[in-house]
């Protein structure tokens, strides 16, 4: 989440300095709060919000919950997390649907905030839940706004109502009113009305938006705000709240590299919850806003719940069960590997998914250097193989690999690396499927973990290594006869015989102590030597 990247880095550095302290003094708390204040102000968070936030953090940090904590630094992080959740709205707020359809949702905001694209994202998200949304093109002012909405609706696979060409032609209030009637006739249970915006707040914009609201009486009015707008976000939000009023906020362009902290102030200053967040240009880059999860991302604590939800939406449960069975029975093929890669791509950006992991801030450089097109290149290599080669990778000799490399526009080295990765993945997942713990390269074995099977014990090569030819022959003959060979000259006593029958300290011949030979072994040896 690039918008809050700098804020995350600053806060992480602040908490890092706390971890070396076993007990926090008032000076330590004041220093930490001062750094948090600077980080929030640098991120463009409104001054009023910063004062309230840091005041509550300081009050709680100096209280008993920190002084009596086993780990004061972690307790301070928890306090900051709690207060961040509060300024982000506290609880998640869901859409409220009308008891009698259609549910009418009106979008409002400045021009360039991303209302039209958001209308398509919201419609597609609702369609996945079984709704039948209708997009209404009531933005008749911006050039080609109607055409853009029609294109977005087609991409999202939803219906659109656009009776007017736009570009300054038509009455937006009438279009909005007629759009609701059209939805009733065509049995659409949700109506999303895209309204016009301006480059800045003006009386004409507010009058038109207020007239549309009065005409259609929407169940939800969503204020769409650009997360990169800066300090002007607060003034704009208050102007729309006074002129039109809104029931919820949608943050767009959270994938940008601006400071974006002003967007965090909107919920706190307007008293209206942030309901959705747009995290990219694609129609699937859209998600419900969870204050607790967003706070976790900002503090680099991860967002595992959202990651799981995305995985559940992209992966088919029956298919996953079949793949697990293939892992267990060692029948996993490159075709299955390709299917898993494609499902992974359907989850969205790999970088975004990795950024949801706890501690992802420490991997920022690696994430930035990751090439999303690697999956496409992998698909090309596998698709250049024959059906037999995919099911039996052992057939891939040098000439076949050269043909595959030419067919996929890659090198033989890349083909070799893919096959190697596939074999490692199949081996690791087979171990996991059998209840073991894979030995991940570079990490070493995990203490106490099983590895899906008994380790192979290397058997020592049998045979004497003595430098004395006569003794070597005697030892080898004794081994062949099933008799334990006697010690070699290296362990012999200074007074031992030439055959290395060392008696050891305090050992007596024939007693079998201290590693010496027993009477039976001595008799067998005498017999073998012909004595």
């Amino acid at each position: 989440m690039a918008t809050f990247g700098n804020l995350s880095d600053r806060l992480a550095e602040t908490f890092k300095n706390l971890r070396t302290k076993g007990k926090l003094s008032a000076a330590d708390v004041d220093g930490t709060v001062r750094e948090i204040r600077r980080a929030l102000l640098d991120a463009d968070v409104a001054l009023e919000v910063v004062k309230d936030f840091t005041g509550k953090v300081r009050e709680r940090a100096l209280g008993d919950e920190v002084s009596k904590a086993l780990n004061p630094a972690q307790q301070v992080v928890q306090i900051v997390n709690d207060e961040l959740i509060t300024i982000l709205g506290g609880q998640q707020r869901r859409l409220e649907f009308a008891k009698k359809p259609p549910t009418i949702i009106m979008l409002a905001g400045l021009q360039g905030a991303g209302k039209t694209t958001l209308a398509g994202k919201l419609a597609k998200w609702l369609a996945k839940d079984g709704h039948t949304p209708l997009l209404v093109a009531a933005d008749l002012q911006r050039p080609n706004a109607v055409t853009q909405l029609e294109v977005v609706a087609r991409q999202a696979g939803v219906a659109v109502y656009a009776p007017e060409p736009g570009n300054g032609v038509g009455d937006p209030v009438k279009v909005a009113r007629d759009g609701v009637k059209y939805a009733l006739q065509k049995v659409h249970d949700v109506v999303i009305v895209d309204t016009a915006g301006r480059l800045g707040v003006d009386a004409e914009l507010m009058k038109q938006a207020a007239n549309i609201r009065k005409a259609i009486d929407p169940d939800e009015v969503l204020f769409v705000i650009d997360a990169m707008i800066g300090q002007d976000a607060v003034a704009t939000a208050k102007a729309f709240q006074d002129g039109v009023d809104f029931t919820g906020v949608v943050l767009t362009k959270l994938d940008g590299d601006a400071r974006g902290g002003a967007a965090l102030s909107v919920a706190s200053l307007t008293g209206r919850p942030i309901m959705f967040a747009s995290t990219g240009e694609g129609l699937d880059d859209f998600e419900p806003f969870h204050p607790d999860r967003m706070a976790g991302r900002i503090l680099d604590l991860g967002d595992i719940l959202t990651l799981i939800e995305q995985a559940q939406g992209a992966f088919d449960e029956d298919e996953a069960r079949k793949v697990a069975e293939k892992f267990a029975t060692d029948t996993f093929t490159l075709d299955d590997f390709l299917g898993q890669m494609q499902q992974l791509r359907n989850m969205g950006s790999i970088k975004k998914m990795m950024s949801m992991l706890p501690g992802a801030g420490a991997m920022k450089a690696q994430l930035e250097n990751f090439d999303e097109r690697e999956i496409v290149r992998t698909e090309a290599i596998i698709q250049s193989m024959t059906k037999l080669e995919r099911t039996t990778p052992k057939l891939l000799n040098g000439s076949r690999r050269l043909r595959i490399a030419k067919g996929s526009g890659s090198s033989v080295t890349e083909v070799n690396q893919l096959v190697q990765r596939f074999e490692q993945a199949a081996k690791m997942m087979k171990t996991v499927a059998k209840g073991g713990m894979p030995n991940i390269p570079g990490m070493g074995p995990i203490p106490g973990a099983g590895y899906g099977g008994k380790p192979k014990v290397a058997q020592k090569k049998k045979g004497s290594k003595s430098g004395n030819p006569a003794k070597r022959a005697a030892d080898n003959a004794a081994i062949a006869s099933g008799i334990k060979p006697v010690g070699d000259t290296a362990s012999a006593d200074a007074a031992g015989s030439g055959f290395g029958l060392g008696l050891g300290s305090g050992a007596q011949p024939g007693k079998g102590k201290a590693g010496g030979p027993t009477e039976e072994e001595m008799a067998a040896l005498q017999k073998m030597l012909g004595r």
Side-chain angles (χ1 to χ4, degrees):
M1 190 177 51
T3 300
F4 303 120
N6 291 333
L7 176 59
S8 298
D9 292 343
R10 290 284 298 273
L11 292 176
E13 189 65 29
T14 301
F15 297 139
K16 182 180 178 181
N17 297 331
L18 282 181
R19 293 192 180 99
T20 59
K21 302 179 183 294
K23 189 175 181 179
L24 300 183
S25 64
D28 293 329
V29 172
D30 287 338
T32 300
V33 171
R34 185 167 54 251
E35 289 301 318
I36 293 173
R37 182 187 298 115
R38 288 175 179 171
L40 292 173
L41 290 174
D42 285 348
D44 257 352
V45 179
L47 180 60
E48 183 181 341
V49 175
V50 173
K51 285 182 177 179
D52 184 55
F53 178 83
T54 52
K56 290 180 179 177
V57 170
R58 185 179 186 279
E59 181 182 352
R60 291 182 60 185
L62 290 174
D64 290 342
E65 60 181 310
V66 172
S67 62
K68 295 181 179 180
L70 292 176
N71 192 321
Q74 288 185 2
Q75 195 65 34
V76 171
V77 173
Q78 183 61 50
I79 291 172
V80 173
N81 184 59
D82 293 343
E83 295 302 327
L84 261 181
I85 293 172
T86 301
I87 68 169
L88 289 171
Q91 296 281 332
Q92 184 203 10
R93 159 84 148 76
R94 298 176 179 270
L95 282 175
E96 291 185 0
F97 293 94
K99 294 180 180 179
K100 183 181 178 182
T103 299
I104 303 172
I105 301 173
M106 174 181 168
L107 303 182
L110 294 180
Q111 185 174 311
K115 291 190 303 298
T116 303
T117 305
L118 181 85
K121 292 181 177 182
L122 179 58
K124 187 174 182 180
W125 181 78
L126 288 167
K128 287 180 180 178
D129 278 351
H131 296 283
T132 54
L134 171 71
L135 297 182
V136 177
D139 181 0
L140 305 180
Q141 178 180 316
R142 182 170 61 87
N144 295 318
V146 174
T147 304
Q148 182 189 356
L149 189 67
E150 290 174 334
V151 171
V152 168
R154 186 163 55 250
Q155 291 174 341
V158 298
V160 62
Y161 178 75
E164 299 288 353
N167 299 323
V169 178
D171 181 3
V173 178
K174 183 177 184 299
V175 169
R177 189 187 299 113
D178 292 346
V180 175
K181 294 178 181 177
Y182 180 84
L184 280 168
Q185 294 171 2
K186 299 297 181 180
V187 198
H188 292 280
D189 68 340
V190 179
V191 179
I192 301 173
V193 182
D194 181 28
T195 64
R198 300 287 193 282
L199 294 177
V201 177
D202 59 29
E204 185 183 351
L205 166 64
M206 289 304 169
K207 183 180 178 181
Q208 185 185 104
N211 289 339
I212 292 175
R213 173 165 188 163
K214 185 177 179 180
I216 62 177
D217 189 22
D219 300 282
E220 296 277 12
V221 178
L222 300 183
F223 173 55
V224 182
I225 186 168
D226 184 347
M228 302 167 66
I229 196 173
Q231 281 291 338
D232 201 36
V234 176
T236 304
K238 286 186 174 181
F240 270 90
Q241 188 176 21
D242 295 338
V244 184
D245 200 6
F246 50 85
T247 58
V249 179
V250 180
L251 295 180
T252 62
K253 305 181 184 178
L254 280 179
D255 57 326
D257 56 1
R259 290 178 289 182
L264 301 180
S265 313
V266 173
S268 181
L269 293 178
T270 63
R272 299 293 186 266
I274 302 173
M275 296 175 62
F276 296 99
S278 176
T279 57
E281 296 180 2
L283 291 182
D284 292 317
D285 297 327
F286 177 80
E287 60 190 45
F289 187 87
H290 299 264
D292 54 341
R293 300 184 190 182
M294 184 59 69
R297 292 194 208 180
I298 292 173
L299 296 178
D300 201 21
L301 302 177
D303 186 1
I304 299 298
L305 289 176
T306 299
L307 189 59
I308 291 171
E309 288 173 1
Q310 290 185 2
Q312 288 175 337
F315 282 82
D316 182 76
E317 206 169 316
D318 293 333
E319 186 65 26
R321 194 177 295 110
K322 291 177 183 176
V323 170
E325 291 174 359
K326 289 187 175 184
F327 277 131
T329 56
D330 206 14
T331 56
F332 186 70
T333 67
L334 278 163
D335 267 330
D336 301 317
F337 188 62
L338 176 62
Q340 293 294 297
M341 295 283 283
Q342 290 171 336
Q343 285 190 328
L344 184 64
R345 190 175 64 175
N346 290 339
M347 285 181 63
S349 169
I350 305 295
K351 288 183 182 179
K352 288 180 183 176
M353 287 189 289
M354 293 292 290
S355 67
M356 294 181 192
L357 296 174
M363 302 185 295
K364 186 176 291 186
Q366 293 91 324
L367 290 176
E368 288 298 324
N369 293 329
F370 178 77
D371 188 357
E372 298 273 1
R373 294 172 296 178
E374 185 65 31
I375 294 179
V376 178
R377 286 192 282 267
T378 299
E379 289 179 357
I381 293 174
I382 297 177
Q383 289 168 346
S384 296
M385 300 178 185
T386 65
K387 189 72 177 176
L388 184 61
E389 288 170 343
R390 294 183 204 178
T391 54
T392 317
K394 292 181 179 179
L395 294 175
L396 295 174
N397 55 22
S399 61
R400 288 176 183 262
R401 297 187 186 208
L402 180 60
R403 188 204 77 239
I404 293 166
K406 290 181 178 179
S408 59
S410 57
S411 64
V412 176
T413 302
E414 290 175 315
V415 177
N416 293 340
Q417 289 173 345
L418 169 62
V419 175
Q420 189 177 16
R421 287 199 303 269
F422 164 74
E423 291 173 346
Q424 288 176 347
K427 185 177 180 180
M428 287 172 63
M429 295 312 296
K430 182 182 177 183
T431 302
V432 173
K434 291 185 176 181
M437 180 68 70
N439 188 359
I440 301 173
M443 289 184 64
I446 301 174
Y451 290 89
K454 294 181 179 180
K456 293 181 179 179
V457 180
Q459 294 184 352
K460 294 182 179 180
K461 186 177 179 182
K462 294 182 178 180
S464 175
K465 295 181 180 180
S466 174
N468 188 322
K471 182 183 182 306
R472 186 165 61 246
D475 287 350
N476 290 337
I479 291 170
S481 304
I483 301 172
K484 182 179 178 181
V486 296
D488 58 19
T489 54
S491 61
D493 190 75
S497 69
F499 292 105
L501 301 179
L503 302 179
S505 178
Q508 299 296 324
K511 301 297 182 182
K513 294 181 181 180
T518 63
E519 293 180 0
E520 291 80 7
E521 289 173 341
M522 288 292 293
L525 182 59
Q526 295 291 340
K527 181 179 179 182
M528 180 183 64
L529 296 175
R531 294 187 178 181

